[in-house]
């Protein structure tokens, strides 16, 4: 908001407030209207005439007929009649309130009191209502201005700043897929395009780095596997030579060769498995897990809120909480990416020793001739064309489930794909 517009708004507000104050302040005086003495005397006389009937009443509410409210009590301070709940019903209370107190006399004897309610406090409140109204109008005007200006600041400054802050947090956490919404109408508009270009460059750089790292890991795994073949040949030849050794020295030498070959084989095996574990993030430590924890994992993985139905049976299963969470998140993420439809989750038991968890979408599934290969390493269905992915997700998920003593298979349903997870029951 430009400064001149702000000054115009302030001047208009002050002028409007002054006009309102003048109008309300000059609206006239409020003069207290006291009860008419003649009317009170007439009413008092009617009470004295009807005292016989009135004295028999017990705290009876009466509709007001004249211009004032009242309360009638007898000499024992018993309330006989009253017209409103807040009328003083004792002499001390009436005195404090400055009410009019008149004696009720019958045959020259005082038989009770008539307490006339003093409305001066109400009249004062009405009189001060003008000042309250004036203050309310002024405060309302100020509040509206503050709200308007706050909304402006929120939309033009704070909200764009929050978006940029959240964008920076996403970038710092490694989420480079979500673009920054561009709006050149806010104060940071000129920076949004540059920030998003930075995101794209970082994403491209990370993709290149990940591809290089993955390629190196796969190369190490392939080399490790290839080296095992000649090592096995060396061991075989050493075994043959040990059978034809002529003396102990030759036998010891051949045994040393065999031992070194075993050592090399173990080192290569460790290198091969370590490379696979790093590539697939494999480290499984099973424990007892409640199905309520599985439910929580499902809900946390469903960050796009596409799960339309969840039926989780009560059970205690044997699994690694970290890895089963990884598997569930991977499957739901795949459904987001390739199906983009509602997801249903159901559960049950198989042979009393296996817990079944089924996650189904409505994305059309995959061709029947591809259903068995999508859980293999670097294999993807034909429906994955044009979408990012390496073909490792379901492979790693199946591998993890098998390491936990369960399994994972995929099936086509009537509308899409169902991933079935088998988990051992505790």
């Amino acid at each position: 908001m430009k400064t001149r517009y702000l000054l115009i708004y302030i001047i208009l507000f002050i002028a409007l407030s002054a006009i309102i104050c003048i109008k309300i302040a000059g609206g006239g005086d409020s003069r207290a209207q006291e009860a008419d003495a003649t009317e009170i005397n007439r009413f008092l006389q009617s009470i004295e005439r009807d005292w016989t009937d009135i004295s028999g009443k017990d705290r009876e509410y009466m509709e007001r007929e004249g211009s004032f409210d009242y309360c009638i009590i007898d000499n024992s301070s018993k309330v006989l009649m009253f017209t409103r709940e807040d009328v003083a019903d004792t002499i001390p209370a009436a005195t404090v309130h400055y009410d009019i107190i008149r004696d009720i006399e019958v045959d020259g004897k005082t038989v009770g009191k008539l307490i006339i309610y003093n409305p001066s406090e109400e009249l004062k409140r009405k009189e001060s209502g003008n000042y309250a109204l004036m203050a309310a109008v002024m405060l309302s005007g100020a509040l509206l201005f503050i709200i308007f200006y706050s909304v402006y600041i929120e939309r033009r400054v704070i909200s764009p700043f929050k978006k940029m802050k959240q964008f920076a947090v996403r970038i710092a956490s490694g989420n480079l897929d979500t673009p920054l919404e561009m709006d050149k109408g806010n104060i940071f508009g000129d920076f949004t395009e540059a920030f998003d270009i930075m995101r794209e460059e970082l994403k491209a750089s990370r993709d290149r780095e990940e591809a290089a790292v993955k390629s190196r890991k796969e190369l190490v795994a392939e080399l490790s596997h290839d080296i095992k073949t000649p090592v096995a040949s060396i061991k075989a030849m050493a075994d043959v030579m040990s059978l034809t050794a002529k003396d102990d020295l030759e036998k010891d030498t051949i045994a040393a060769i065999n031992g070194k070959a075993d050592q090399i084989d173990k080192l290569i095996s460790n290198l091969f498995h370590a490379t696979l574990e790093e590539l697939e993030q494999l480290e499984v430590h099973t424990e007892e897990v409640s199905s309520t924890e599985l439910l929580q994992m499902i809900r946390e993985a469903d960050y796009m809120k596409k799960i339309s139905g969840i039926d989780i049976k009560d059970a205690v299963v044997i699994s690694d909480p970290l890895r089963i969470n990884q598997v569930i998140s991977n499957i739901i993420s795949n459904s987001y990416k390739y199906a983009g439809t509602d997801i249903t989750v159901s559960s049950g038991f198989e042979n009393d020793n296996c817990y079944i968890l089924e996650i189904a979408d409505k994305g059309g599934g995959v061709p029947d001739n591809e259903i068995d290969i999508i859980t293999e390493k670097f294999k993807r269905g034909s429906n994955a064309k044009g979408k990012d992915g390496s073909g490792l997700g379901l492979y790693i998920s199946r591998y993890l489930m098998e390491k936990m003593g369960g399994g994972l298979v995929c099936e086509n349903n009537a509308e899409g794909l169902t991933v079935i997870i088998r988990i051992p029951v505790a």
Side-chain angles (χ1 to χ4, degrees):
M1 182 182 293
K2 296 182 178 179
T3 305
R4 64 174 179 270
Y5 293 148
L6 178 60
L7 292 175
I8 291 172
Y9 292 148
I10 293 175
I11 292 171
L12 289 175
F13 172 71
I14 294 174
L16 180 61
S17 300
I19 293 171
I20 292 173
C21 291
I22 293 171
K23 289 289 186 182
I24 295 177
D29 297 331
S30 296
R31 298 182 179 179
Q33 302 294 325
E34 297 184 355
D36 183 67
T38 303
E39 185 180 359
I40 293 175
N41 287 334
R42 289 176 182 162
F43 183 63
L44 181 61
Q45 291 172 6
S46 68
I47 293 174
E48 292 173 345
R49 286 194 305 270
D50 301 333
W51 181 252
T52 302
D53 294 334
I54 293 174
S55 62
K57 298 182 181 298
D58 182 10
R59 200 171 185 83
E60 183 173 335
Y61 172 78
M62 302 294 293
E63 293 289 340
R64 189 177 74 173
E65 297 179 358
S67 61
F68 53 84
D69 289 291
Y70 61 88
C71 177
I72 301 174
I73 62 176
D74 60 15
N75 286 336
S76 63
S77 297
K78 175 184 177 183
V79 178
L80 305 178
M81 299 169 56
F82 65 95
T83 59
R84 57 189 288 174
E85 292 289 343
D86 57 347
V87 175
D89 55 8
T90 63
I91 299 301
T95 302
V96 171
H97 195 257
Y98 300 102
D99 292 335
I100 299 172
I101 305 173
R102 300 291 295 272
D103 291 334
I104 303 173
E105 296 182 356
V106 177
D107 296 332
K109 296 181 179 180
T110 301
V111 294
K113 302 289 185 182
L114 170 63
I115 301 174
I116 305 298
Y117 178 74
N118 181 6
S120 60
E121 292 297 327
E122 290 184 358
L123 295 175
K124 287 180 180 178
R125 286 195 294 270
K126 290 180 181 179
E127 185 177 358
S128 62
N130 289 333
Y131 299 104
L133 177 61
M134 177 181 66
V137 171
M138 293 180 63
L139 289 175
S140 297
L143 180 61
L144 289 175
F145 176 77
I146 292 172
I147 291 173
F148 171 77
Y149 195 68
S150 299
V151 170
Y152 174 84
I153 294 296
E154 172 67 27
R155 294 183 61 183
R156 293 294 186 177
V157 180
I158 298 177
S159 181
F161 181 77
K162 287 181 178 178
K163 288 181 180 179
M164 293 185 67
K165 181 180 178 181
Q166 293 170 357
F167 177 76
V169 171
R170 291 199 303 269
I171 293 296
S173 63
N175 181 3
L176 302 176
D177 297 321
T178 306
L180 176 62
E181 181 181 351
M182 298 184 186
D183 182 7
K184 294 186 177 181
N186 62 63
I187 193 171
F188 301 107
D190 295 337
F191 301 99
T192 54
E193 185 175 2
F195 269 69
D196 201 57
I197 291 174
M198 177 191 70
R199 175 194 64 82
E200 291 177 352
E201 290 298 325
L202 287 173
K203 184 176 185 299
S205 176
R206 186 183 69 177
D207 291 344
R208 289 192 295 269
E209 181 182 358
E210 289 178 350
V213 170
K214 177 184 173 184
S215 177
R216 288 196 298 270
K217 290 177 181 178
E218 291 178 356
L219 178 61
V220 170
E222 291 174 1
L223 290 174
S224 300
H225 183 270
D226 292 341
I227 291 173
K228 287 176 69 68
T229 301
V231 170
S233 299
I234 293 173
K235 283 175 58 62
M237 287 187 288
D239 289 339
V240 172
M241 292 175 64
S242 65
L243 297 176
T244 59
K246 298 178 180 179
D247 52 40
D248 293 338
L249 178 61
E250 189 174 349
K251 289 182 181 180
D252 291 341
T253 303
I254 294 172
I257 294 173
N258 204 356
K260 293 298 181 181
D262 286 336
Q263 185 179 2
I264 293 173
D265 185 64
K266 289 179 181 179
L267 291 173
I268 293 300
S269 296
N270 289 337
L271 179 61
F272 177 70
H273 290 298
T275 304
L276 280 182
E277 288 180 1
E278 186 178 1
L279 183 64
E280 302 164 0
Q281 300 180 7
L282 294 178
E283 228 180 56
V284 175
H285 304 285
T286 58
E287 62 184 67
E288 292 187 356
V289 177
S290 170
S291 58
T292 56
E293 295 183 49
L294 298 180
L295 177 61
Q296 183 65 24
M297 294 175 188
I298 293 169
R299 288 174 174 167
E300 290 176 354
D302 184 29
Y303 61 90
M304 295 181 67
K305 306 303 179 186
K306 286 187 175 291
I307 295 181
S308 58
I310 303 179
D311 178 20
I312 299 298
K313 301 290 190 301
D314 291 336
V316 177
V317 299
I318 300 297
S319 68
D320 183 332
L322 177 64
R323 295 311 174 195
I324 192 70
N325 192 8
Q326 180 182 348
V327 171
I328 291 171
S329 298
N330 194 4
I331 294 170
I332 294 176
S333 178
N334 275 357
S335 180
Y336 287 169
K337 183 189 298 184
Y338 299 116
T341 66
D342 289 345
I343 303 170
T344 58
V345 180
S346 58
S347 63
F349 296 90
E350 184 178 78
N351 301 326
D352 296 330
N353 60 355
C354 185
Y355 189 76
I356 304 297
L357 189 64
E358 297 185 357
I359 303 175
D361 60 43
K362 302 176 182 178
V366 298
D368 291 336
N369 61 339
E370 297 175 355
I371 196 69
D372 293 328
I373 68 170
I374 59 174
T375 56
E376 296 179 7
K377 190 175 182 180
F378 303 123
K379 300 295 184 179
R380 305 171 71 195
S382 57
N383 63 331
K385 291 181 179 179
K387 297 177 181 178
D388 293 338
S390 60
L392 283 173
L394 287 175
Y395 169 73
I396 294 175
S397 297
R398 187 192 70 181
Y399 187 90
L400 289 172
M401 293 311 304
E402 290 175 352
K403 291 284 285 184
M404 288 185 279
L408 182 148
V409 295
C410 297
E411 294 179 356
N412 282 320
N413 58 50
E415 298 178 285
L417 183 70
T418 300
V419 180
I420 303 172
I421 302 172
R422 289 182 169 85
I423 314 171
V425 175

